[in-house]
Amino acid sequence: MAFSLPSPPLKLPTSYSSSTVNNHTIAASASATSIRNTRKGLSLRRTFVVKASEKDDENPSFNPFGFVTDNPSSRSAIQLPENPAEDGNVGQMLYRIEDKGREYGSYIKSGGFRWFVRETGSSDARLGPRGTVVFLHGAPTQSYSYRVVMSQLAEAGFHCFAPDWIGFGFSDKPQPGYGFDYTEKEYHEQLDKLLDVLEVKSPFSLVVQGFLVGSYGLTWALKNPSRISKLVIMNTPLTASSPVPGLFQQLRIPLLGEFTCQNAIMAERFIEAGSAYVLKVEKADVYRLPYLKSSGPGFALLEATKRANFKGTSGQIADGFASGRWDTPILVAWGISDKYLPQSIAEEFKKGNPSAVTVKLIEGAGHMPQEDWPEKVIDALRYFL
């Protein structure tokens, strides 16, 4: 498998503010390359969804560029842009997508940072029988993935919050050393402060999905069991045997990690590589936007990845939610077409606490069930919550 790197030499940054790695240039180069190399199916303009082959490839040895083209549908789809000149011009792309992806969202000041928080349902609903549901996303995505689920749960009487973690989506991306260093401890502390500002009363229902900061949502729950009434987990590392995707392994490689984190199409390609589907253009635009606007989101992801202990955190989750240590009901709603985490992860997790854990398999969904098939996720949540 071949992958073309931009030809101009890169001078690596020493800090976010003085970065000489221009992610806009990289994004434009990646966009232009994707238009030329249609044989790879790497296009920035997605106009339809292609169903992948049902046959899953065996898990290969680590390929540092595997996250780009591992999705069969992404490789086979030839989706030409309506206007190649527009897709090769970062300014034009930003103009087209600048106002997208902020459904139900507003900025909330907490702990010295601005969080972008989506909210659905009336404030009265939090006092009703349905109560409050907090949705936490994983890396390298954002709370946008929950928009459909949140909207319909609000209609069912729930009050919902979904923040973009610090460093992700539309929330602040502080430079390390200036009040936030992207550690698990700091993420837990800032989440505590945000929940206080949002006046989320305990106990509440928590929904978690994804890698890295998604896992931190589960370790936060382990530290605050009395605050959780019900827990829903979707496609998150749950056992010590959970594999680590190539993207995060690549980000740990010196120099290569600095380059990779400035790839503006990284988030959308990560989503596609974990699913059987190619994102439609209007969705891909939103996941791309934060990485296209500045270098901050990429370097925030890089810092968080470097400080993460993936295997250790997964082992902590497996032990913490085992029988005798956790008795609050857990629903594991699992997209069975996940290219990163096999179904066996969910089954092994249930064996650790069969009385508390219920597994609901979601056919047709991959790593992000809330994006791939939100209707099935909504049905599962309404039944469980």
Side-chain angles (χ1 to χ4, degrees):
M1 176 177 60
F3 181 79
S4 299
L5 297 177
S7 55
L10 297 176
K11 181 180 179 182
L12 297 176
T14 56
S15 67
Y16 294 4
S17 59
S18 62
S19 171
T20 55
V21 177
N22 190 327
N23 71 305
H24 294 181
T25 302
I26 294 173
S29 177
S31 178
T33 301
S34 68
I35 295 169
R36 293 194 299 270
N37 297 331
T38 56
R39 65 184 178 82
K40 299 178 184 177
L42 296 179
S43 171
L44 291 179
R45 294 284 291 181
R46 271 159 288 278
T47 56
F48 57 88
V49 176
V50 182
K51 184 69 181 291
S53 168
E54 294 182 357
K55 182 179 184 299
D56 293 337
D57 295 332
E58 293 296 327
N59 187 24
S61 58
F62 170 55
N63 178 350
F65 295 104
F67 78 96
V68 180
T69 56
D70 275 353
N71 185 3
S73 61
S74 216
R75 291 198 300 266
S76 63
I78 300 178
Q79 304 179 49
L80 297 177
E82 296 173 2
N83 187 340
E86 176 182 311
D87 263 22
N89 184 292
V90 173
Q92 288 291 333
M93 283 191 285
L94 282 172
Y95 177 78
R96 186 186 73 229
I97 68 180
E98 177 68 30
D99 296 326
K100 288 187 176 182
R102 290 176 169 82
E103 291 92 334
Y104 317 117
S106 61
Y107 285 98
I108 304 293
K109 192 69 176 291
S110 170
F113 302 111
R114 285 197 320 161
W115 291 71
F116 185 80
V117 181
R118 301 174 199 272
E119 179 181 8
T120 61
S122 67
S123 57
D124 293 337
R126 71 171 71 194
L127 302 176
R130 305 292 188 181
T132 298
V133 185
V134 175
F135 296 84
L136 298 178
H137 68 85
T141 62
Q142 52 175 289
S143 64
Y144 174 75
S145 64
Y146 288 117
R147 66 201 178 280
V148 178
V149 174
M150 293 178 64
S151 174
Q152 296 197 27
L153 282 185
E155 294 177 2
F158 292 92
H159 185 225
C160 304
F161 287 112
D164 286 349
W165 284 107
I166 296 297
F168 295 85
F170 300 111
S171 290
D172 279 352
K173 294 94 179 171
Q175 181 178 347
Y178 291 85
F180 197 78
D181 287 326
Y182 298 94
T183 65
E184 179 183 18
K185 180 176 182 291
E186 289 171 313
Y187 273 116
H188 287 175
E189 292 172 349
Q190 292 302 323
L191 179 59
D192 281 331
K193 294 177 182 178
L194 177 65
L195 293 176
D196 288 343
V197 172
L198 296 176
E199 298 182 345
V200 174
K201 305 300 182 183
S202 300
F204 62 90
S205 298
L206 178 65
V207 180
V208 174
Q209 184 275 327
F211 289 96
L212 191 54
V213 286
S215 296
Y216 292 167
L218 293 181
T219 55
W220 180 89
L222 289 175
K223 292 181 178 180
N224 299 273
S226 64
R227 301 191 65 179
I228 308 298
S229 59
K230 290 186 178 180
L231 176 62
V232 179
I233 305 172
M234 296 188 293
N235 296 73
T236 302
L238 297 175
T239 67
S241 61
S242 299
V244 178
L247 170 61
F248 300 110
Q249 297 183 50
Q250 181 179 343
L251 286 168
R252 290 176 178 269
I253 300 175
L255 302 185
L256 184 58
E258 278 76 1
F259 170 79
T260 300
C261 77
Q262 292 305 297
N263 182 351
I265 64 172
M266 170 178 53
E268 65 199 81
R269 287 306 180 193
F270 182 83
I271 296 169
E272 290 179 336
S275 172
Y277 306 99
V278 173
L279 286 170
K280 290 184 178 180
V281 62
E282 60 268 20
K283 298 178 182 178
D285 282 345
V286 178
Y287 288 111
R288 181 190 317 146
L289 179 57
Y291 297 92
L292 192 64
K293 290 183 67 176
S294 77
S295 62
F299 284 116
L301 176 62
L302 179 68
E303 295 295 335
T305 301
K306 286 181 176 180
R307 287 162 171 75
N309 180 354
F310 288 93
K311 293 296 184 181
T313 300
S314 297
Q316 179 186 349
I317 290 170
D319 293 340
F321 289 107
S323 296
R325 298 184 179 180
W326 183 274
D327 55 10
T328 301
I330 299 175
L331 172 66
V332 177
W334 201 266
I336 61 175
S337 298
D338 191 339
K339 307 297 181 181
Y340 299 127
L341 297 169
Q343 178 181 327
S344 59
I345 299 294
E347 295 169 345
E348 183 180 348
F349 182 72
K350 177 178 173 59
K351 290 179 181 178
N353 193 344
S355 62
V357 177
T358 300
V359 174
K360 171 65 176 178
L361 300 179
I362 302 180
E363 296 184 2
H367 181 61
M368 292 176 63
Q370 72 271 31
E371 184 69 81
D372 288 344
W373 213 312
E375 296 81 5
K376 290 187 177 182
V377 171
I378 292 163
D379 289 342
L381 293 183
R382 291 184 64 176
Y383 179 80
F384 179 71
L385 299 177

